[in-house]
Amino acid sequence: MRMTDKNEREQVKKLNTLKVIAEKLNEANELDFMLKEVLHELLSLIGMKTGWIFLVNNSGHYTLAADVKLPPALTWQDKKPMCEGDCWCIERFNDGRLKRAVNIIECKRLENAIEYHWGETNEITHHATIPLRAGVENFGLLNVTSPKKTHFSSEELALLEAVAFQIGTAIKRIKLAETEQKMALMNERNRLARDLHDSVNQLLFSLKLTAGGAKEMTDDEKMKDMLSYMINLSQEAASEMRALIWQLRPQGLEEGVAMALMNYGKVLGIEVAINVDGVLDLSPEIEEVLWRIGQEALNNIQKHANTKHSTLNIIVKNNSVCMDIIDQGNGFDFSKMKGTGSLGLASMKERTDMIGGTFNLETAVGKGTKICVSLPI
C-alpha cells in the first residue's frame, strides 16, 4: 500500500511538472527567454539546484543558451569553461550516440575546473544530460544536477526525457515562427522594391526628361546650366535608387545567387567573373546570406578598391557551400581600421556566424582583398 501511495505521488508530481512546463512553453515566443525561464521552472519543480542548456547547430557548433546557478569553477572568465572545448555530451550528441537521457559519471568540464583551479565546484561532480529533440530533429542538450548528487533514477531520467521533448517541440515551433517572420519581411521588401520602382524611379526618369526638354527650349545660359545640374542630379538619384531596389529585391536571384551578384556588379559598374563548381540547390536562407555578403563585398570594391574587376567563386561540396569574392584592388590594413570603417565586414561575419559558418578575410595594402565564406547546407 505504501509503495502504491509512493508511486501515485510520483505520478502526480510528474504530471504536474509536465503541466507547468507545458504552460511556460506555450506562453513563450522568444527562444533565449523561453529557455532561461523553463530551466528555472524545471529545476524548482524537480528539486535540482543547477542546470544549463546547450544549443547545437547543424555543423556541430554549440552555444551556452541558458544556465542557472553554475558553480564558480564553471563561471570562470565569463563562463569560458562552458563556452569552449568539447566534452562527452557534445561529442556523443554530434556523432549520434546520445539518444536518451543518461547519467554522466565524469564531466570533462568539471574535471578541467578542478585540475586547473578555476574555482569551487560546490560539490557538483555528476550531472544528467538529455538531448533536446522534436521528431528526427535535434536541437541541443539539457543538463541538470545538484551538489553531492551522483545518480539519477530511471524515473528521474524518464521525466527529464519527457520535459526535453516538450522543450524540443517548443524550439521547433519558435524556429518555424521565425522562418515565417523572415518570409514576411522578404515579401515586404519585395513590395517596397516594386513601389519604389513604379513610383519614385519613374518620377526621377520623368524629371530627367522634363529638364532635358526645357533645356532645349531656352537660350538662357544660366538656365541651361541649372537644368543640366538637374539632369545630372536626377541621373545620380536614379542610379542610387536602382542600387537600393537591388538591395531590397535582387532581380535574378531566382536564377541563382551567382547570377544575381553578377548583375548587381553591373549596376555598380563592376565586371564580376563567375566560377561555379557543384549543383547550387540551396535553401532560401543560405541564398539570402550569400547574397547579402556578396552585395556588401561588391559595394566595398566599388567604393574603396579602385578597380572595376572582381572574381566570384562558389563551390558546393561535403555538405557545405564556399563563396570567395576576390579583387586585385588597393587592399587595406585591417588592423588599423576602427569604428564605422569595419561595420560592413562585421555585418558579413555576423551573418555567417548566425548559421554556423566561417568567415575569413585576406588583404594587404596594394595586394587586393579576398573574402571567403563557408556555410553548412
Side-chain angles (χ1 to χ4, degrees):
M1 184 66 178
R2 291 179 180 174
M3 184 61 69
T4 301
D5 290 344
K6 181 181 179 182
N7 289 339
E8 287 180 353
R9 287 196 299 271
E10 288 178 351
Q11 288 299 319
V12 170
K13 180 182 178 181
K14 178 179 179 180
L15 290 173
N16 182 62
T17 299
L18 294 175
K19 174 180 177 293
V20 173
I21 294 298
E23 290 173 349
K24 281 284 182 183
L25 293 173
N26 287 335
E27 295 170 358
N29 292 309
E30 196 273 319
L31 186 57
D32 290 341
F33 179 78
M34 178 272 284
L35 293 175
K36 291 171 184 173
E37 285 286 299
V38 77
L39 184 57
H40 272 282
E41 195 69 44
L42 173 63
L43 294 174
S44 175
L45 289 168
I46 64 176
M48 295 287 107
K49 297 296 184 183
T50 299
W52 59 94
I53 293 175
F54 290 128
L55 291 183
V56 188
N57 64 21
N58 292 333
S59 60
H61 295 100
Y62 70 90
T63 56
L64 179 65
D67 62 87
V68 174
K69 293 185 179 179
L70 292 174
L74 297 181
T75 60
W76 177 74
Q77 288 195 359
D78 197 24
K79 303 178 185 177
K80 185 176 180 180
M82 303 297 290
C83 300
E84 297 181 3
D86 284 328
C87 61
W88 190 95
C89 311
I90 296 295
E91 290 174 355
R92 279 150 183 78
F93 178 87
N94 283 333
D95 64 24
R97 283 183 285 169
L98 184 58
K99 298 182 181 298
R100 304 291 301 272
V102 296
N103 285 293
I104 301 299
I105 299 175
E106 298 176 349
C107 175
K108 185 178 178 182
R109 299 180 195 278
L110 287 167
E111 289 178 349
N112 288 342
I114 295 171
E115 180 180 355
Y116 298 111
H117 308 289
W118 290 338
E120 292 294 326
T121 62
N122 293 350
E123 298 185 279
I124 291 175
T125 57
H126 300 63
H127 65 81
T129 189
I130 313 95
L132 301 175
R133 59 156 60 96
V136 297
E137 293 185 73
N138 297 310
F139 300 108
L141 294 167
L142 166 67
N143 299 279
V144 297
T145 187
S146 269
K148 298 183 180 180
K149 187 167 182 67
T150 60
H151 179 73
F152 290 81
S153 67
S154 58
E155 290 80 10
E156 288 175 315
L157 293 177
L159 174 59
L160 290 170
E161 274 192 353
V163 171
F165 180 77
Q166 285 183 312
I167 297 173
T169 303
I171 292 173
K172 183 173 182 178
R173 173 178 62 80
I174 291 174
K175 285 183 176 292
L176 287 173
E178 290 175 348
T179 300
E180 290 178 1
Q181 291 174 355
K182 289 178 181 177
M183 292 302 297
L185 178 60
M186 187 179 299
N187 290 335
E188 180 61 18
R189 284 207 306 261
N190 289 343
R191 185 197 64 77
L192 180 57
R194 288 193 300 269
D195 290 349
L196 288 172
H197 180 270
D198 295 340
S199 57
V200 180
N201 209 40
Q202 294 299 327
L203 286 173
L204 290 171
F205 182 68
S206 297
L207 176 62
K208 175 186 173 184
L209 290 179
T210 301
K215 181 180 177 182
E216 296 298 324
M217 296 171 61
T218 182
D219 295 325
D220 189 322
E221 292 301 322
K222 289 185 178 181
M223 183 62 70
K224 284 188 174 184
D225 290 341
M226 184 175 293
L227 291 169
S228 295
Y229 175 73
M230 290 178 62
I231 292 170
N232 292 334
L233 197 61
S234 63
Q235 286 178 325
E236 291 178 12
S239 178
E240 290 287 336
M241 185 59 63
R242 283 195 297 272
L244 177 59
I245 291 171
W246 264 92
Q247 291 176 31
L248 290 169
R249 181 175 181 261
Q251 300 172 8
L253 193 55
E254 66 277 0
E255 298 179 14
V257 68
M259 290 299 298
L261 288 172
M262 184 184 74
N263 290 330
Y264 184 64
K266 291 179 181 178
V267 172
L268 299 178
I270 299 172
E271 180 183 342
V272 182
I274 297 176
N275 301 304
V276 177
D277 184 2
V279 179
L280 296 185
D281 185 15
L282 305 177
S283 69
E285 181 183 21
I286 295 295
E287 281 197 332
E288 175 80 3
V289 171
L290 291 176
W291 159 249
R292 295 300 172 189
I293 291 174
Q295 172 192 41
E296 184 64 38
L298 291 174
N299 285 336
N300 287 342
I301 292 172
Q302 192 262 344
K303 293 176 182 177
H304 308 297
N306 193 29
T307 180
K308 297 297 183 182
H309 303 277
S310 67
T311 300
L312 172 68
N313 300 320
I314 299 181
I315 301 173
V316 180
K317 63 178 180 180
N318 299 330
N319 296 321
S320 67
V321 55
C322 301
M323 180 175 76
D324 302 336
I325 299 180
I326 307 164
D327 71 76
Q328 301 299 323
N330 293 333
F332 58 95
D333 185 352
F334 183 64
S335 64
K336 294 182 179 180
M337 294 186 67
K338 296 181 180 179
T340 57
S342 59
L343 281 179
L345 295 173
S347 174
M348 291 188 228
K349 188 175 187 309
E350 287 172 3
R351 289 182 182 276
T352 305
D353 291 342
M354 283 177 63
I355 56 175
T358 58
F359 176 87
N360 187 49
L361 170 69
E362 300 174 13
T363 187
V365 176
K367 295 186 178 180
T369 301
K370 179 178 181 181
I371 289 173
C372 305
V373 178
S374 178
L375 304 177
I377 53 174

